[in-house]
């Protein structure tokens, strides 16, 4: 069986297991996909790649990535994590302020390159999406509400008085959330990271009267969480019983290694599945992950979309054939 | 307890009934819990009947006793009350994989070294993911490295290396190998003076006093070797958990199902692995599952127990090296 359709897979690196798994299905279908790894652009020491424009104004590269593709799967672009290495490579004589400036400049430059490449490779079928484009949590919440999905009430405020009102309104149960990505900070050998936490009365009393605009959300008492992976009109759901464990009650990223949260296949009500599919089509997203909560009030709350989210865990825990579905989509 | 609700086991906690007792296999956490066969029956009915119907149907169990049982299971995190069990479907038992061969065992030898390029080319075509290299007696590290240095040309993701302890090789040399080839998940050095283990990077270095001096040292069935996980369970439902999608190459180049099985399907000297795989009979043992094997089919451990089709008189007989009797039910000492 041979399948000569040109398929391009854009991924972070060769170490991405999900990418490898999908490629293995494509190989079985007789296809040899081409690859572009985010880290081959970032990690110049171990890769050599040059882009230019040909006579007819097409983007070409020395690695043969030229012309147009039948299908492109944007698994995920690099998260620029190799810049941490770059940061470490400066010696102490360079001021940390200058290093920070250089790193943020590099990040911006890499983003320009990323946007340029992503908008200049052509294909008939496109799967995946750019988290940087679809990752606006606030937009997504509003749009979810438009599609009749339940969302936890939230405010964006700079005022302690408004915060206090919101706090009282929701029976003193609210959370503070990151708006963009998780904040990671390395100090010595310890990695500090932000988690979603319940705000206490004491916390608020320690806040100044005015602060940087922050995002507060009503805390939903949950029965369990649900993670879905959506590809076109198929929804694969998994329930996560994090409520049984105090460590992961508010934020299941605080993983309990000894006693992992119970994760099992789940079947969402059809109405909810339809609302999610409509939301995705509104966002022009062909695939991505969604986090939901099933509240004790029996309602399903939409939390957020991760368009380049990992689906490996959902596929593995529930024995869903997601890798196969993706490979099928790309070559049929 | 709301008797209009259901009590269901989580779909990755599978009750398995044996001749005189049952277990619940927690496939997510890799553990199991003994239950009586009566409780097995109750729990099986619970998947489709609300609690009030269970009380109605099982007249010998009252509401208090049932609630105690459910609370124990909740304590073990094996099940939960739910209003609508349809929201929690069973795990699909269809296990799909794009690989024709999952595991390969290669006995390291000069013969196999000579044909290694052909062997690796075949394994790449077949999609092989896991490889085990073995030596029963001393084999030089330099030669071993020739095998390892070509792994990056294949699709292999996990490597286990089982070698014989020898005065001729230093410990440092083995540690250096693990550092150089992080693809090696585990390096076992058998016939060692002491039992010990350490980690080098993400790899395990294990010394064992056990002597693995020939392929007849394989096939032991013991509680310690139970594999309690979802892929293993799904394989075991339909296939032989030891031989399914496995291929082996003996030191003399013979291609077999496993190194302990006599029957050969050709030699790497004049045959490709793909050709051997398509020889009549190669896949014959692949489909013998625990449910087909006498005694094993009534054993509560049947979906977590590895199998062995090498040491027995009849292919439908339980492994000779298993000392468990599901009727008594206990492990006997092998005499
Ligand atoms: S009787 Fe069969 S299934 Fe049970 S422990 Fe022995 S080999 Fe395994």
């Amino acid at each position: 069986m041979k399948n000569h359709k040109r398929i391009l897979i854009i991924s972070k690196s060769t170490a991405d297991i999900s990418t490898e798994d999908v490629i293995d299905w494509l190989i079985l279908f007789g296809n040899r996909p081409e690859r572009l790894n985010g880290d081959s652009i970032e990690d110049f020491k171990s890769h050599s790649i040059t882009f230019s424009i040909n006579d007819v104004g097409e983007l070409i590269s020395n690695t043969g990535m030229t012309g147009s593709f039948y299908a492109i799967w944007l698994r995920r672009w690099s998260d620029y994590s190799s810049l941490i290495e770059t940061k470490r490579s400066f010696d102490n004589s360079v001021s940390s302020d200058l290093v920070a400036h250089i790193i943020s400049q590099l990040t911006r430059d890499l983003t320009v390159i990323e946007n340029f490449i992503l908008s200049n490779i052509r294909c008939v079928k496109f799967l995946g999406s750019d988290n940087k484009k679809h990752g606006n949590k606030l937009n997504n919440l509003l749009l979810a509400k438009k599609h009749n999905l339940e969302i936890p009430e939230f405010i964006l405020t700079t005022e302690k008085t408004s915060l206090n009102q919101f706090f009282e309104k929701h029976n003193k149960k609210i959370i503070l959330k990151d708006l963009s990505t998780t904040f990671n900070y390395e100090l010595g050998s310890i990695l500090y990271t932000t988690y979603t936490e319940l705000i206490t009365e004491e916390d608020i009393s320690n806040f100044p009267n005015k602060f940087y605009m922050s995002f507060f959300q009503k805390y939903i008492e949950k029965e369990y969480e649900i993670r879905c992976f959506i590809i076109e009109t198929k929804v694969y759901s998994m329930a996560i019983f994090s409520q049984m464990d105090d460590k992961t009650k508010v934020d299941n990223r605080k993983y309990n290694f000894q006693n992992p949260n119970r994760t099992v296949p789940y079947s969402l009500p059809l109405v909810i599945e339809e609302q999610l599919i409509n939301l995705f089509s509104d966002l022009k997203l062909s695939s991505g992950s969604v986090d939901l909560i099933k509240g004790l009030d029996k309602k399903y709350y939409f939390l957020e979309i991760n368009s380049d989210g990992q689906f490996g865990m959902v596929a593995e825990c529930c024995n869903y054939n997601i890798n196969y579905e993706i490979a099928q989509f790309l070559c049929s | 307890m709301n008797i209009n609700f259901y009590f269901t086991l989580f779909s990755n906690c599978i009750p398995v009934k044996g001749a005189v007792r049952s277990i619940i296999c927690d496939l997510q956490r890799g553990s199991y819990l003994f239950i009586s066969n009566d409780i097995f029956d109750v729990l099986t009915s619970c998947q489709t009947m609300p609690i009030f119907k269970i009380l109605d149907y099982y007249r010998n169990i009252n509401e208090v006793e049932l609630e105690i049982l459910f609370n124990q299971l909740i304590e073990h995190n094996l099940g939960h009350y739910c209003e609508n069990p349809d929201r929690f479907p069973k795990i699909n038992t269809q296990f799909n994989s794009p690989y024709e061969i999952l595991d390969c065992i290669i006995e390291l030898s000069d013969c196999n070294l000579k044909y290694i390029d052909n062997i690796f080319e075949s394994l790449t075509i077949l999609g092989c993911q896991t490889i085990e290299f073995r030596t029963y007696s001393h084999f030089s590290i330099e030669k071993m490295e020739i095998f390892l240095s070509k792994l990056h040309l294949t699709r292999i993701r996990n490597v286990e290396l089982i070698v014989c302890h020898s005065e001729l090789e230093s410990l440092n040399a083995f540690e250096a190998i693990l550092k150089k080839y992080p693809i090696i998940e585990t390096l076992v050095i058998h016939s060692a003076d002491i039992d010990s283990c350490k980690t080098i990077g993400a790899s395990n270095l294990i010394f064992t006093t056990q002597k693995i001096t020939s392929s007849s040292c394989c096939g032991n069935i013991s509680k310690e070797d139970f594999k309690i996980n979802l892929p293993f369970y799904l394989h075991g439902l339909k296939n032989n958990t030891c031989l399914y999608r496995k291929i082996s190459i003996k030191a003399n180049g013979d291609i077999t199902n496993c190194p302990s099985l006599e029957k050969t399907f050709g030699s790497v000297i004049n045959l490709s692995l793909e050709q051997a795989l398509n020889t009549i009979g190669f896949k014959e043992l692949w489909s013998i599952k625990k449910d087909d094997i006498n005694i094993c089919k009534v054993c509560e451990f049947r979906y977590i127990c590895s199998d062995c089709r090498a040491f027995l008189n009849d292919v439908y007989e339980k492994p000779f090296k298993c000392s468990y009797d599901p009727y008594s039910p206990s492990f006997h000492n092998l005499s």
Side-chain angles (χ1 to χ4, degrees):
Chain A
M1 191 174 37
K2 282 269 171 290
N3 181 314
H4 291 300
K5 293 189 173 118
R6 279 191 81 198
I7 295 173
L8 176 69
I9 297 181
I10 303 172
S11 178
K12 183 171 150 34
S13 72
T14 47
D16 186 69
I17 301 278
S18 294
T19 309
E20 296 297 311
D21 288 343
V22 170
I23 290 177
D24 284 336
W25 278 109
L26 286 169
I27 293 174
L28 186 76
F29 301 152
N31 192 291
R32 290 266 159 191
E34 292 162 58
R35 292 191 66 155
L36 173 66
N37 290 328
D39 71 358
S40 61
I41 291 168
E42 212 178 306
D43 181 6
F44 58 90
K45 284 193 188 126
S46 32
H47 299 87
S48 47
I49 184 163
T50 303
F51 290 96
S52 55
I53 303 295
N54 69 8
D55 295 343
V56 288
E58 283 171 340
L59 175 67
I60 55 170
S61 80
N62 63 333
T63 53
M65 200 198 69
T66 177
S68 73
F69 292 88
Y70 176 70
I72 294 179
W73 178 35
L74 175 56
R75 158 78 185 95
R76 68 192 307 184
W77 192 267
S78 172
D79 52 9
Y80 304 141
S81 54
S82 74
L83 289 179
I84 295 175
E85 292 303 318
T86 311
K87 200 169 164 181
R88 287 203 188 104
S89 66
F90 288 96
D91 61 49
N92 290 338
S93 63
V94 188
S95 83
S96 58
D97 185 53
L98 179 58
V99 172
H101 267 83
I102 293 172
I103 297 298
S104 72
Q105 181 65 33
L106 281 173
T107 311
R108 282 193 300 269
D109 286 359
L110 282 167
T111 314
V112 171
I113 297 169
E114 172 185 337
N115 287 338
F116 172 62
I117 295 170
L118 289 182
S119 41
N120 284 289
I121 36 181
R122 304 197 186 289
C123 64
V124 182
K125 285 176 115 176
F126 184 85
L127 189 71
S129 111
D130 189 353
N131 217 19
K132 293 179 185 96
K133 243 191 256 159
H134 294 100
N136 191 318
K137 279 186 196 176
L138 303 172
N139 266 343
N140 293 347
L141 278 167
L142 273 192
L143 209 55
K145 179 132 182 141
K146 250 190 221 153
H147 286 281
N148 298 321
L149 285 152
E150 205 71 54
I151 59 167
E153 214 179 299
F154 69 83
I155 53 163
L156 277 167
T157 186
T158 57
E159 309 279 328
K160 191 163 166 173
T161 43
S162 316
L163 172 60
N164 265 322
Q165 278 165 15
F166 187 71
F167 188 63
E168 294 302 329
K169 181 176 170 196
H170 296 296
N171 303 318
K172 307 191 179 193
K173 287 208 152 171
I174 64 167
I175 52 173
L176 173 62
K177 271 178 104 169
D178 289 318
L179 274 175
S180 52
T181 49
T182 313
F183 178 83
N184 290 325
Y185 183 69
E186 219 184 53
L187 189 67
S189 59
I190 301 169
L191 180 73
Y192 291 87
T193 176
T194 48
Y195 280 114
T196 306
E197 287 279 349
L198 266 174
I199 304 277
T200 62
E201 215 149 3
E202 198 193 327
D203 290 333
I204 296 182
S205 70
N206 288 330
F207 285 176
N209 286 332
K210 287 191 160 272
F211 40 78
Y212 273 106
M213 184 162 279
S214 306
F215 175 53
F216 299 94
Q217 215 170 14
K218 176 188 173 184
Y219 174 67
I220 307 291
E221 303 276 353
K222 64 190 170 192
E223 200 181 334
Y224 42 80
E225 281 169 63
I226 299 157
R227 168 135 336 136
C228 311
F229 180 74
I230 301 178
I231 167 166
E232 290 198 295
T233 56
K234 289 200 178 107
V235 183
Y236 296 92
S237 309
M238 170 175 91
I240 307 171
F241 287 84
S242 49
Q243 203 58 5
M244 297 170 174
D245 184 345
D246 276 338
K247 258 195 203 153
T248 58
K249 214 167 175 173
V250 181
D251 188 335
N252 77 28
R253 283 173 302 175
K254 257 191 191 172
Y255 201 70
N256 184 338
F257 283 100
Q258 252 148 26
N259 236 356
N261 287 327
R262 183 63 69 188
T263 46
V264 289
Y266 192 75
S267 155
L268 275 173
L270 281 179
V271 225
I272 307 282
E273 288 197 354
E274 265 164 35
Q275 287 164 346
L276 289 172
I277 292 165
N278 292 339
L279 170 66
F280 267 49
S281 79
D282 217 357
L283 281 164
K284 304 210 166 28
L285 262 176
S286 46
S287 75
S289 298
V290 176
D291 289 340
L292 302 167
I293 280 181
K294 168 85 187 290
L296 286 181
D297 57 8
K298 300 198 172 134
K299 289 183 187 156
Y300 291 89
Y301 290 89
F302 167 92
L303 294 186
E304 62 183 50
I305 292 177
N306 275 307
S307 51
D308 64 357
Q310 291 283 3
F311 57 85
M313 188 177 159
V314 175
E316 243 169 69
C317 292
C318 305
N319 191 30
Y320 290 144
N321 232 334
I322 297 176
N323 297 321
Y324 170 88
E325 279 308 325
I326 292 176
Q328 272 288 323
F329 172 90
L330 294 174
C331 73
S332 64
Chain B
M1 178 167 74
N2 182 342
I3 61 167
N4 292 315
F5 274 35
Y6 293 75
F7 180 86
T8 57
L9 292 174
F10 291 116
S11 53
N12 46 24
C13 298
I14 315 274
V16 185
K17 194 176 196 170
V20 297
R21 63 176 177 182
S22 301
I23 56 170
I24 299 174
C25 303
D26 183 342
L27 299 175
Q28 188 182 351
R29 295 185 181 175
S31 58
Y32 59 87
L33 183 80
F34 286 109
I35 52 170
S36 72
N37 280 355
D38 290 340
I39 289 178
F40 173 94
D41 293 338
V42 172
L43 289 174
T44 309
S45 307
C46 280
Q47 308 299 307
T48 52
M49 284 184 207
I51 297 167
F52 73 87
K53 277 208 179 142
I54 296 287
L55 288 166
D56 205 38
Y57 190 81
Y58 292 95
R59 287 301 166 93
N60 56 345
I61 187 162
N62 67 37
E63 200 175 325
V64 177
E65 288 166 337
L66 203 59
E67 186 161 11
I68 291 173
L69 168 68
F70 292 161
N71 284 342
Q72 279 170 351
L73 293 168
I74 288 173
E75 198 132 301
H76 283 97
N77 195 248
L78 295 169
H80 63 132
Y81 293 110
C82 70
E83 205 176 343
N84 181 358
D86 293 344
R87 295 270 154 260
F88 294 95
K90 283 212 165 79
I91 291 179
N92 178 7
T93 55
Q94 187 72 38
F95 190 83
N96 292 316
S97 142
Y99 316 109
E100 277 179 78
I101 285 293
L102 293 169
D103 299 284
C104 176
I105 301 178
I106 299 180
E107 293 182 347
L108 295 180
S109 66
D110 289 338
C111 169
N112 288 338
L113 186 60
K114 201 164 148 201
Y115 294 96
I116 191 61
D117 290 335
N118 297 351
I119 295 172
F120 277 177
E121 199 185 310
S122 291
L123 289 179
T124 302
I125 294 169
L126 297 168
C128 181
Q129 298 287 293
T130 303
I131 200 162
E132 178 188 311
F133 294 115
R134 289 185 186 176
T135 69
Y136 303 122
S137 54
H138 173 252
F139 190 78
S140 85
I141 289 196
E142 291 86 78
K143 287 184 190 166
M144 227 178 266
E145 270 214 73
I146 304 179
F147 286 92
L148 298 171
S149 65
K150 291 173 188 273
L151 279 170
H152 70 277
L153 301 168
T154 70
R155 291 159 73 188
I156 286 155
R157 297 189 196 175
N158 308 300
V159 175
E160 188 168 4
L161 192 57
I162 301 174
V163 303
C164 185
H165 174 78
S166 159
E167 305 299 329
L168 298 170
E169 311 292 352
S170 75
L171 176 59
N172 287 345
F174 283 118
E175 294 192 358
I177 286 267
L178 284 180
K179 282 191 194 122
K180 192 161 167 196
Y181 302 99
I183 190 173
I184 304 173
E185 208 165 298
T186 313
L187 168 58
V188 180
I189 300 178
H190 65 79
S191 314
D193 306 328
I194 40 150
D195 291 295
S196 73
C197 97
K198 67 196 249 183
T199 53
I200 311 271
S203 317
N204 300 309
L205 177 58
I206 298 170
F207 289 87
T208 170
T209 47
Q210 204 191 332
K211 291 185 167 51
I212 307 177
T213 50
S214 78
S215 59
S216 62
C217 298
C218 190
N220 293 325
I221 306 284
S222 72
K223 269 192 287 207
E224 287 66 40
D225 297 322
F226 284 166
K227 296 190 177 72
I228 315 169
N229 62 63
L230 183 61
F232 188 82
Y233 167 78
L234 295 171
H235 273 306
L237 286 180
K238 295 189 176 125
N239 297 294
N240 189 275
T241 45
C242 185
L243 300 178
Y244 180 64
R245 296 196 182 183
K246 180 186 269 181
I247 198 162
S248 303
I249 305 162
K250 312 237 329 170
N252 65 2
D254 280 355
I255 305 168
T256 59
N257 287 122
C258 101
S260 310
L261 278 162
E262 291 297 309
K263 187 160 182 189
T264 81
F265 296 88
S267 163
V268 289
I269 297 170
N270 50 29
L271 205 68
S272 73
L273 297 183
E274 304 93 287
Q275 287 168 319
L277 190 63
N278 289 316
T279 310
I280 296 170
F282 193 93
K283 298 176 184 170
E284 198 178 294
L285 299 172
W286 285 14
S287 59
I288 301 182
K289 49 192 189 297
K290 286 282 189 189
D291 287 337
D292 303 328
I293 298 169
N294 292 326
I295 305 193
C296 292
K297 65 173 130 185
V298 295
C299 174
E300 59 276 21
F301 299 125
R302 63 189 175 276
Y303 302 126
I304 56 175
C305 165
S306 52
D307 193 42
C308 172
R309 291 296 95 199
F311 305 105
L312 28 76
N313 300 319
D314 179 284
V315 289
Y316 290 104
E317 195 175 90
K318 95 167 199 188
F320 179 70
K321 295 191 194 178
C322 165
S323 66
Y324 184 67
D325 172 13
Y327 291 98
S328 51
S330 58
F331 284 87
H332 302 287
N333 283 336
L334 280 181
S335 47

